[in-house]
Amino acid sequence: CLRGRLRMSFHLSMRKQALLVSLCVNAILFCVLVNLSLAGKNVASPVQTRSAATTTRVGLMNHPTQQMFNSYTPSQYAPVVHVPRDLSAKAAFMNVPASQMRAAKVTSIIKLALDAGKANPAPPVGPALGAAGVNIMQFCKEYNAATQKQMGQVIPVEITVFADRSFTFILKTPPASKLLLQAAGLEKGSGTPDKETLATITQDQLKEIAEVKMPDLNAKDIEAAMRIVEGTAKNMGIKVAAAA
């Protein structure tokens, strides 16, 4: 009886060991298979990516832009030259006197309406240009010389001031209100243009004023410019005679 029990317990222990060994072997085989499958995916992905990229590049070979880059040779294009930022170095680079070099940076734009040929350091010129550091006397001299032939007119000017305190200016056409007052023989317009008419101008006078103002008006033709000037005249109490 005791021998039988010992034999039975021995067989049971052997079966448990065999079952454990079998489970371990199966687990090892499963891990090996998973690693192999993952390795296969990682190897296949770059191949697919390279083939797709190759296909894309081949498709672009016939594109005009790609052909331009393929045919590029350095001798076809001028080299890029760096211009120094310093004014003295830039002047030496461009072989011009440093006094003639202006800074590219614009610091301010000043707009004034002055009597032609009569600019002076008094207000509004002096305070406006002095605050910007501009040579006031130099501007007055240049403005008066440029507007000498237009004495008696008010010539607006747009002054561009640069970082080195140099400047340039652009002359504008006289204000439409001033031209209308001269044409009508008035000193000032009406304060109530909807109730009173101070004077009447002809269509020819209106056209002459429109032609003078044309460069500064947002008008595509002389007829459109005449309509704009006529609107200004009505706001001043000046009537425009009907066309004959």
Side-chain angles (χ1 to χ4, degrees):
C1 183
L2 181 58
R3 289 181 180 179
R5 290 180 180 178
L6 291 174
R7 289 179 181 177
M8 185 177 297
S9 61
F10 175 80
H11 289 303
L12 289 174
S13 61
M14 291 296 293
R15 289 178 182 177
K16 289 180 181 180
Q17 292 178 2
L19 182 59
L20 290 175
V21 171
S22 175
L23 291 174
C24 291
V25 171
N26 289 335
I28 293 172
L29 291 176
F30 178 80
C31 293
V32 171
L33 292 175
V34 169
N35 290 332
L36 289 177
S37 62
L38 292 176
K41 290 183 179 180
N42 292 334
V43 172
S45 179
V47 174
Q48 294 173 359
T49 304
R50 286 197 299 271
S51 62
T54 304
T55 304
T56 304
R57 286 197 297 269
V58 171
L60 288 175
M61 289 298 292
N62 296 326
H63 194 277
T65 304
Q66 186 67 29
Q67 293 176 2
M68 179 185 69
F69 283 108
N70 291 340
S71 60
Y72 166 81
T73 56
S75 60
Q76 293 177 345
Y77 299 87
V80 177
V81 180
H82 173 69
V83 179
R85 295 183 179 223
D86 181 70
L87 288 181
S88 59
K90 188 183 295 185
F93 175 82
M94 300 182 68
N95 195 25
V96 297
S99 59
Q100 298 182 7
M101 294 299 301
R102 287 193 176 94
K105 183 179 179 180
V106 176
T107 57
S108 61
I109 296 177
I110 304 170
K111 297 181 180 180
L112 300 172
L114 307 175
D115 291 331
K118 296 183 179 180
N120 57 72
V125 177
L129 300 187
V134 175
N135 188 325
I136 300 173
M137 293 306 300
Q138 181 184 355
F139 166 76
C140 292
K141 181 179 179 180
E142 294 183 8
Y143 175 85
N144 292 337
T147 59
Q148 186 175 6
K149 295 182 180 180
Q150 298 171 291
M151 294 284 289
Q153 298 282 358
V154 175
I155 307 298
V157 60
E158 183 177 299
I159 309 163
T160 302
V161 183
F162 299 91
D164 62 349
R165 297 184 180 181
S166 61
F167 66 90
T168 60
F169 63 90
I170 301 173
L171 299 178
K172 302 290 186 177
T173 58
S177 58
K178 297 293 184 180
L179 297 176
L180 288 167
L181 289 175
Q182 289 180 357
L186 300 173
E187 292 184 359
K188 63 179 182 178
S190 172
T192 56
D194 55 335
K195 296 181 179 180
E196 62 177 345
T197 300
L198 300 180
T200 303
I201 62 174
T202 64
Q203 287 287 330
D204 291 338
Q205 290 175 311
L206 178 65
K207 186 175 181 180
E208 290 177 2
I209 297 173
E211 289 174 348
V212 173
K213 291 296 299 177
M214 187 70 179
D216 293 338
L217 294 178
N218 186 18
K220 63 179 181 179
D221 51 33
I222 191 64
E223 287 77 14
M226 290 175 64
R227 289 193 293 270
I228 295 174
V229 176
E230 184 176 2
T232 304
K234 289 181 179 179
N235 292 332
M236 298 174 62
I238 300 175
K239 182 181 178 181
V240 179

